[in-house]
Structures are given as C-alpha cells and as structure tokens.
C-alpha cells in the first residue's frame, strides 16, 4: 500500500465540511471528529499498525512494540470553526503516507515508531488549544479540563462520556511521555515565510487567550435614551480597537469571537463576552500587550458604567525547538531553511519535555485558519518524502 497525502486528504474531504461557514468544522469529541478518529484507526490498522488510545483520548498507531525511545510523528484532525483542509490533517496523512514509503522500500525501524493524533488541538470547541498534549504533560489541570464548556454548555467530561470513553482517566501521562524518544510534527506553513517546498521550524511565539466579560444593563433598543444606557457592547468594541493599537513590534492581538447575551438586534445586551488571542516574541512582550489592552478595556467599561472580568483561558511561553535535532533534520533534508512561526502546535507543548521538531510544507498564499488554506499537491508529496527521510534517519 502506498498512499499519497493528497489521496488520503481526498478520502476525508467530505467529513466535517461546513456548509454554512465554508471549510471544515471538526472539533474534539464531536460526531465529525469521532468519524475521523475511526477513519484514522482503520487506515492505521490496514497498515498493520497497533492502535491504542491513551488516557487523554490521543490515538497512537505503533509500528513495532510501544517505546521506550520511540520516534513519534503525527498531528491533529480537528479544525478551527470553518477552517482549512490542511492544518492538522496534512501532518496525520503525511505520517501514514511516510510509513507506506518506508515499508515500500523495505525499511524496518530499529526504534519503535508511532503516528499520534492529538485531541482538540485548536481549542475550537472547549477553548483551550492543544488540549490532548497539555493534559498529557500536565500543562492543564485535569479537573479544570473536565469542566471546560463548549458553546452549548456541554462539559468536556460529558462530551467524552457521550463518545463512550471515560473522562476520569484524564491527566498527566508520564508513561506515554517516557516512551517518546523524539517527536516530529509535519504541518502546513501558516504564513508566507517558506519559499521552498519544505522547511523546519525554529520557534513559536509566546501566546495565550483571554476572555473579557463585560456586564451592563439589558434594555430596549428603541425606548432607552442614549444617555441612559450601560451597553457592554461599547467597551467590547473599544477592546477590539485597543488590541489593534497595542500589538506593535511584531506582536499580534486578535478578537475573533464576540458573544453578546442575549444577542438580539433590538436588544441592548446585558453581557458581552470577547475572546482575545495575543502573541509576541516572549513572555514579557506578550504580557505587556495584554496589560495595555486590559487597561484600555477597563477604562472603556468604566466610561460606559459597565463592569469587566478578565480570565486567562490558556497560555504558553515562547518555544525554541531543539536546535540539535532541528539542524540535524535540516542537513538530512539537504539544507532546508529553518523558520519561526506565530502558530501554536502540540509540538510546542511537547517541546518542554522531549526533543521535538517540526517540518513545514509551503503555503503559497500564507492563508490559514480559513477555507482558502492551501498547499500544492507536489509540495504535500515533497513533505511526505521529507518526513519519510526524517523517520528513516531517526529510526535507523
Ligand atoms: C493554532 O493553530 C493556533 O496557533 O492558534
Ligand atoms: Mn491551527
Ligand atoms: Mn495545527
């Protein structure tokens, strides 16, 4: 069996296609993600890989007996709401295709090798990105994770139960971590930083998510005089502008989600929730951007007679990938370039515990987290070849 990355992507092209938003909506433990997990399990089984699910719902497909000192590759199958076809799935399908390439040439790994699929990498349903790898490494408390709510008020614990699994097992997984000798995640590049088909990652920006809850007075849009209003949408709008103003010098600040309560055209909201995604070169720069935005938001809330509560929902400091592994892979792949990224990855979470690297596949437009996300088929197959070379090198 020798599948191509694009052939495998085509096989899941209809799963989770979002007819309303465009692109894909595939979220942790929803019907669509469960279908993709089943598809992955079937593909891995066809290849004779032994599939197991760990205590946090991450799936491992083993070539050879599980660990220690295993070479691990893989990525995630979930998406942002209305996301592209490549962010996550490209790494998973390329891993399967790379196994096929190695099998076809008669390679037998000297170290155990596995393909992993991490759960809810985008945080598109439960708000916290890299949930599977954070749980595994203890970067998020298991009780806190179990009580995370999706937009419909369903807790992670209930979603796991509904999927037929047991949420009580969530938590740090030292056994799974101890098996990992190194982790290499292949991913579509998410900017225009790569001008050749394949590169390696050097670093990830510090980044986090903050929820601002503005509270005011719900009232009638026609009968309430402008001077009588305490409208939380007004400071919410100021926060959007504050984010644009504060993110300077390479920092990024984004408001991509605003939820007014109750949310009616002719209703002054009583509450508005606004999610801020902020990223910068290091911890100090990120915190300073967020502090500036918070100060502006508090002032805007006070001016409107509104309250504001701020909750940090996730955070990760700057990641510098293992330089020895990075340089080694760059050399093995013929001197491909190393580039930084502003996007978060499970590889970034694992990097604090095990030698970790990433391969990037060129993105001709740089668009990502959108239906237009794209990589040329030839570049995807160059990614598979690079991953196969990488795995062969590491597992020899
Ligand atoms: C995930 O892709 C992120 O960077 O938010
Ligand atoms: Mn993403
Ligand atoms: Mn991703």
């Amino acid at each position: 069996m020798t599948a191509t990355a694009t052939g495998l992507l085509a096989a899941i092209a209809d799963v989770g296609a979002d007819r309303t938003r465009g692109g894909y909506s595939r979220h942790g433990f929803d019907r669509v993600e469960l279908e993709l997990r089943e598809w992955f399990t079937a593909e891995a089984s066809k290849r004779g890989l032994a599939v197991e699910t760990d205590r946090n719902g991450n799936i491992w497909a083993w070539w050879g007996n599980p660990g220690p000192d295993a070479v691990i590759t893989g990525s995630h199958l979930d998406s942002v709401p209305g996301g592209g076809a490549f962010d996550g799935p490209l790494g998973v399908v390329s891993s399967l295709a790379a196994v096929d390439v190695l099998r076809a040439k008669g390679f037998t790994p000297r170290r155990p090798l596995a393909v992993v699929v991490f759960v809810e990498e985008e945080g598109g349903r439960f708000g916290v990105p890299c949930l599977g790898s954070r749980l595994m490494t203890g970067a998020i408390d298991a009780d806190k994770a179990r009580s995370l709510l999706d937009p419909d008020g369903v807790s992670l614990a209930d979603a796991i139960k509904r999927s037929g699994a047991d949420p009580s097992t969530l938590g740090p997984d030292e056994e799974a971590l101890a098996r990992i000798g190194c982790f290499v995640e292949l991913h579509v590049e998410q900017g225009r930083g790569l001008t050749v088909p394949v590169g390696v990652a050097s670093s990830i920006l510090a980044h986090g998510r903050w929820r601002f809850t503005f509270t005011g007075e719900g009232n009638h849009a026609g009968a309430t005089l402008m001077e009588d209003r305490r409208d939380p949408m007004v400071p919410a709008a100021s926060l959007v502008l504050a984010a644009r103003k504060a993110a300077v010098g390479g920092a990024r600040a984004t408001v991509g989600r605003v939820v007014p309560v109750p949310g009616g055209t002719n209703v002054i909201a009583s509450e508005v929730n606004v999610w801020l995604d902020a990223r910068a070169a290091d911890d100090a720069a990120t915190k300073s951007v967020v502090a500036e935005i918070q100060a502006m938001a508090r002032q805007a809330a006070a001016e409107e007679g509104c309250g504001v509560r701020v909750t940090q929902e996730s955070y990760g400091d700057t990641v510098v990938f293992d330089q020895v592994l990075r340089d080694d892979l760059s050399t093995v792949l013929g001197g491909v370039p190393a580039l930084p990224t502003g996007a978060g990855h499970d590889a970034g979470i694992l990097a604090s515990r095990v030698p970790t690297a990433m391969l990037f596949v060129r993105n001709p437009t740089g668009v990502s987290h959108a239906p237009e996300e794209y990589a040329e088929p030839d570049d995807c197959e160059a990614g598979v070849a690079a991953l196969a070379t990488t795995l062969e090198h590491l597992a020899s």
Side-chain angles (χ1 to χ4, degrees):
M1 169 179 309
T2 45
T4 59
T6 40
L8 289 167
L9 282 178
I12 54 171
D14 287 336
V15 186
D18 191 324
R19 308 283 170 219
T20 311
R21 299 181 177 108
Y24 293 95
S25 292
R26 300 161 163 168
H27 304 307
F29 299 103
D30 71 4
R31 186 189 50 74
V32 169
E33 204 231 16
L34 295 175
E35 186 177 336
L36 288 171
R37 291 162 70 86
E38 272 172 32
W39 170 82
F40 172 78
T41 301
E43 285 297 324
S45 304
K46 266 193 231 167
R47 290 167 172 79
L49 307 178
V51 179
E52 60 175 40
T53 303
D54 70 20
R55 55 188 298 170
N56 295 305
N58 306 308
I59 310 175
W60 304 76
W62 289 93
W63 182 0
N65 290 327
D69 201 30
V71 176
I72 309 293
T73 187
S75 191
H76 60 98
L77 289 169
D78 65 306
S79 73
V80 295
F86 298 84
D87 177 354
L90 182 64
V92 175
V93 300
S94 298
S95 301
L96 293 171
V99 166
D100 292 348
V101 168
L102 295 177
R103 281 260 172 74
K105 68 188 280 193
F107 175 73
T108 307
R110 292 264 181 93
R111 296 164 71 178
L113 200 154
V115 179
V116 64
V117 176
F118 284 109
V119 130
E120 178 82 341
E121 190 272 350
E122 300 287 4
R125 181 172 180 191
F126 294 101
V128 175
C130 301
L131 198 50
S133 54
R134 273 183 212 269
L135 279 162
M136 183 166 107
T137 55
I140 183 170
D141 174 72
D143 283 334
K144 183 178 167 192
R146 273 187 282 267
S147 62
L148 291 170
L149 298 178
D150 76 2
D152 295 324
V154 177
S155 69
L156 175 65
D158 282 341
I160 293 175
K161 266 189 227 154
R162 286 178 198 179
S163 79
D166 176 9
S168 73
T169 61
L170 295 188
D173 194 342
E174 289 302 327
E175 215 175 294
L177 278 167
R179 299 188 306 205
I180 306 176
C182 61
F183 176 55
V184 181
E185 179 172 0
L186 178 145
H187 205 280
V188 67
E189 221 283 280
Q190 293 170 284
R192 291 191 306 273
L194 188 59
T195 53
V196 293
V198 174
V200 294
S202 54
S203 61
I204 297 181
L205 293 179
H207 61 285
R209 298 180 182 188
W210 289 262
R211 175 186 184 146
F212 289 68
T213 303
F214 294 99
T215 50
E217 183 180 63
N219 216 328
H220 193 291
T224 315
L225 300 180
M226 298 314 282
E227 56 269 31
D228 288 344
R229 296 178 183 213
R230 293 192 297 118
D231 181 351
M233 190 58 87
V234 173
S238 298
L239 165 54
V240 176
L241 300 177
R244 173 56 67 94
K245 197 163 161 219
V248 291
R252 290 119 209 224
T254 308
V255 173
R257 188 173 166 215
V258 177
V259 179
V261 179
T265 304
N266 55 350
V267 180
I268 299 168
S270 57
E271 180 179 304
V272 179
N273 287 287
V274 183
W275 282 263
L276 171 72
D277 177 308
R279 313 183 187 214
D282 57 30
D283 183 64
T286 311
K287 300 271 169 71
S288 134
V289 167
V290 174
E292 190 178 329
I293 296 169
Q294 270 198 45
M296 289 195 246
R298 286 191 197 286
Q299 189 186 332
E303 283 168 9
E304 183 70 14
C306 289
V308 57
R309 287 192 310 276
V310 185
T311 317
Q312 181 180 292
E313 295 199 334
S314 67
Y315 187 71
D317 203 348
T318 313
V319 173
V320 177
F321 286 108
D322 187 294
Q323 291 184 16
V324 174
L325 184 57
R326 179 192 90 191
D327 291 346
D328 181 33
L329 297 191
S330 168
T331 306
V332 165
L333 298 176
V336 299
L339 64 157
T341 181
H345 300 285
D346 293 302
I349 302 292
L350 288 193
S352 64
R353 300 296 301 275
V354 295
T356 299
M358 291 190 75
L359 303 185
F360 286 141
V361 171
R362 173 165 56 187
N363 180 330
T365 61
V367 171
S368 187
H369 283 187
E372 293 74 21
E373 181 181 79
Y374 185 66
E376 293 289 350
D378 283 353
D379 287 354
C380 293
E381 302 320 326
V384 171
L387 184 59
T389 303
T390 297
L391 298 178
E392 180 174 10
H393 172 68
L394 294 172
S396 286

